[in-house]
Amino acid sequence: MTIPELEAQLLALTPIDKAEAISILTQSLKNSGRPIAKTPGVMGGDACIDNTRIPVWLLASYRNDGATDAFILDCYPQLSAADLVNVWAYTEAYPDEIEEAIRQQDDADEILDTPANLK
């Protein structure tokens, strides 16, 4: 089955069937992605995709800046769509943690970009 054929079939579903299809897809993605983990000594203990050094806040920052999942997966070919499902679920579950991590990184970037530090 091709994506256009699947799209046509999905669009023909009733709202209840669409919700069920979404639930099935979401569950299958959640079960196949790597979990999110905080490992002392790795990326300052920030939440990362398990067994990587890719912090959740970084991917959330990309998304906040308008990056699509396809763009992120192109930049990080070692990740899967299922990994991103877990990242977005974590981001939704812990928004304050992620926002604070992004803010701290932005502050650090600003300090590094000041003229006194560019010498």
Side-chain angles (χ1 to χ4, degrees), residues 28-63:
S28 84
L29 287 173
K30 283 183 181 177
N31 290 338
S32 62
R34 289 175 279 193
I36 304 302
K38 291 182 177 180
T39 306
V42 176
M43 298 306 291
D46 286 342
C48 293
I49 298 171
D50 199 27
N51 293 318
T52 75
R53 297 177 66 82
I54 303 171
V56 171
W57 65 261
L58 176 64
L59 301 177
S61 177
Y62 287 155
R63 190 181 229 194

Side-chain angles (χ1 to χ4, degrees), residues 11 23 28 35 38-39 46-47 60 63 65-66 70 72-73 87-88 111:
L11 293 174
S23 176
S28 84
K38 291 182 177 180
T39 306
D46 286 342
R63 190 181 229 194
D65 290 342
I72 294 169
L73 291 172
V87 166
W88 307 143
I111 290 168

Side-chain angles (χ1 to χ4, degrees), residues 59-105:
L59 301 177
S61 177
Y62 287 155
R63 190 181 229 194
N64 290 348
D65 290 342
T68 64
D69 287 5
F71 177 82
I72 294 169
L73 291 172
D74 190 45
C75 292
Y76 294 91
Q78 69 271 38
L79 299 182
S80 69
D83 291 327
L84 292 184
V85 168
N86 289 338
V87 166
W88 307 143
Y90 188 93
T91 300
E92 194 172 302
Y94 302 99
D96 294 340
E97 173 188 333
I98 300 306
E99 289 170 15
E100 177 62 17
I102 291 170
R103 187 194 62 72
Q104 287 178 2
Q105 186 61 43

Side-chain angles (χ1 to χ4, degrees), residues 14-32:
T14 67
I16 291 172
D17 289 339
K18 287 177 184 175
E20 181 64 22
I22 290 169
S23 176
I24 292 167
L25 290 170
T26 302
Q27 191 60 38
S28 84
L29 287 173
K30 283 183 181 177
N31 290 338
S32 62

